Amino acid sequence: MKKGGIGGANTNKSGLKFEHDTDLATSINTYLSDDYKLVKHEFQTNIKLPKPESTAPVFDLIRKKDNYHVGIITNQYQFYNVLKEHYGLENFNKKLWKPDECFFNFETNTIYIVEKKWQQRAGSVDEKMFGFVNKRRLYQNNFNQMEKEPKPTVEFCALFNSSWWLKGNKGKNQKNYQDYFDNLRIDGIKIFFDKYEYWWFGL
């Protein structure tokens, strides 16, 4: 979500708005509130969390009709705190990746990772897109440490702003990026534009 592929102070208001508008917890609370509710997650006090300094929000997702705890929604370094608390696992990889959004769906035994890419002109993100499949594998490495089946499966999606990726460059970008999108799909990466399709998260 960086203007011109440059971060820091150059992240503009449109990118921040995109980030806010696509906040997964907020979106579910807005569009699926008849069926689900969000409750602030309280970590167990007897567990030493790997990233206790993380301030990213963490929510329990509760299905209203049966009061069932479907899963946990969070992002950034809180991923590793949930990994430790719920699965008893530490990060297996050399680097700590920070998901833009993460939904641990306990009901489907699936971890949904969201990578957001807001652009308004071409930049280094064009090449970074092809790293998504490897990121999915790295996240999966954490759960492959478990000894017993069934182990959770990690699913990965890319969320793009259509104003650039489809409509940008006078409407030429839909064609210009078609090879990118098609190759991501070949690698099993789900693609969204501007908003989520909640069925993909098992909701």
Side-chain angles (χ1 to χ4, degrees):
M1 296 168 291
K2 300 175 182 177
K3 181 179 179 180
I6 301 173
N10 290 309
T11 301
N12 67 13
K13 292 181 179 179
S14 296
L16 292 174
K17 184 177 186 302
F18 179 74
E19 182 176 356
H20 176 269
D21 291 348
T22 57
D23 179 80
L24 183 58
T26 300
S27 297
I28 289 176
N29 201 40
T30 300
Y31 299 107
L32 300 181
S33 60
D34 288 344
D35 298 315
Y36 300 95
K37 65 179 178 180
L38 296 172
V39 179
K40 183 179 178 181
H41 180 76
E42 299 292 342
F43 284 103
Q44 299 176 38
T45 57
N46 62 333
I47 294 177
K48 184 178 180 181
L49 299 177
K51 301 298 289 185
E53 72 279 9
S54 180
T55 59
V58 187
F59 297 102
D60 295 317
L61 182 67
I62 310 297
R63 186 166 54 223
K64 289 183 175 180
K65 68 178 182 180
D66 54 4
N67 202 36
Y68 182 78
H69 184 201
V70 178
I72 294 176
I73 297 174
T74 189
N75 56 35
Q76 301 294 311
Y77 284 131
Q78 294 283 25
F79 170 87
Y80 300 98
N81 290 334
V82 177
L83 183 71
K84 177 65 174 181
E85 181 191 51
H86 190 78
Y87 300 95
L89 300 174
E90 301 282 355
N91 179 49
F92 183 78
N93 303 300
K94 300 297 183 182
K95 183 176 180 179
L96 293 175
W97 297 98
K98 298 187 295 181
D100 290 330
E101 301 281 2
C102 181
F103 175 37
F104 296 82
N105 190 325
F106 304 143
E107 188 170 38
T108 64
N109 200 29
T110 306
I111 317 301
Y112 298 91
I113 302 291
V114 179
E115 183 94 6
K116 302 179 186 180
K117 294 300 179 187
W118 184 92
Q119 290 287 113
Q120 69 175 21
R121 62 186 180 191
S124 61
V125 71
D126 290 12
E127 286 72 36
K128 291 178 180 178
M129 291 166 61
F130 290 109
F132 291 170
V133 63
N134 288 316
K135 277 191 174 182
R136 191 200 69 78
R137 289 170 178 158
L138 290 169
Y139 282 115
Q140 184 68 60
N141 280 344
N142 287 309
F143 299 97
N144 287 349
Q145 298 178 76
M146 297 174 64
E147 295 182 357
K148 296 181 179 180
E149 296 286 355
K151 300 176 183 180
T153 298
V154 173
E155 298 288 353
F156 199 101
C157 82
L159 180 63
F160 300 115
N161 60 305
S162 63
S163 59
W164 169 253
W165 298 98
L166 297 182
K167 304 172 185 175
N169 194 19
K170 299 181 180 180
K172 297 178 182 179
N173 277 357
Q174 181 162 347
K175 181 178 179 181
N176 291 344
Y177 285 109
Q178 196 62 62
D179 287 346
Y180 288 74
F181 300 147
D182 288 345
N183 277 281
L184 287 177
R185 294 187 183 98
I186 288 171
D187 287 331
I189 305 300
K190 177 66 178 175
I191 296 175
F192 296 124
F193 294 101
D194 300 330
K195 60 183 180 180
Y196 301 111
E197 298 171 26
Y198 300 103
W199 62 265
W200 184 77
F201 296 96
L203 301 176

